[in-house]
Amino acid sequence: MILAREIKSRALELGFDQVGVAKVGPLPRSEFLGEWLSRAYQGEMGYMGRDPERRADPARYDPGARSVICVAVNYYTGPRPASEPSDGVVS
């Protein structure tokens, strides 16, 4: 937990708007990825359609991985929605 807090703090210092740490494993609702792709919601992001089974389970990228660190940058410059965490940390 201490390391995760340090990673989150450092990511925010580096300028990311949100950061989260999750255990590696299959996505809980991975069936929606196929539906999302079939509707072409990926637009011009062709890479999203490559190897969807691997994309649905991050452990397939690196079987020894235990956690995934995800960061986000918000390109929207208007006011933040009330539902967004003010500290940028996603649990």
Side-chain angles (χ1 to χ4, degrees):
M1 288 294 232
I2 294 172
L3 181 57
R5 281 196 303 265
E6 290 175 9
I7 290 169
K8 291 175 181 180
S9 176
R10 183 67 178 132
L12 295 172
E13 287 173 13
L14 289 170
F16 292 102
D17 294 305
Q18 291 191 331
V19 58
V21 179
K23 291 181 181 180
V24 170
L27 298 178
R29 297 173 59 186
S30 62
E31 69 273 8
F32 292 109
L33 176 60
E35 182 179 331
W36 187 82
L37 291 169
S38 71
R39 293 180 180 192
Y41 287 166
Q42 73 274 23
E44 296 180 17
M45 299 181 294
Y47 65 90
M48 292 295 294
R50 289 193 299 265
D51 203 0
E53 294 80 17
R54 188 172 158 190
R55 186 170 298 284
D57 185 355
R60 292 184 181 197
Y61 285 98
D62 183 353
R66 297 185 313 169
S67 300
V68 173
I69 301 167
C70 184
V71 295
V73 174
N74 185 358
Y75 293 101
Y76 176 69
T77 58
R80 292 182 182 252
S83 62
E84 185 174 309
S86 61
D87 64 359
V89 175
V90 179
S91 44

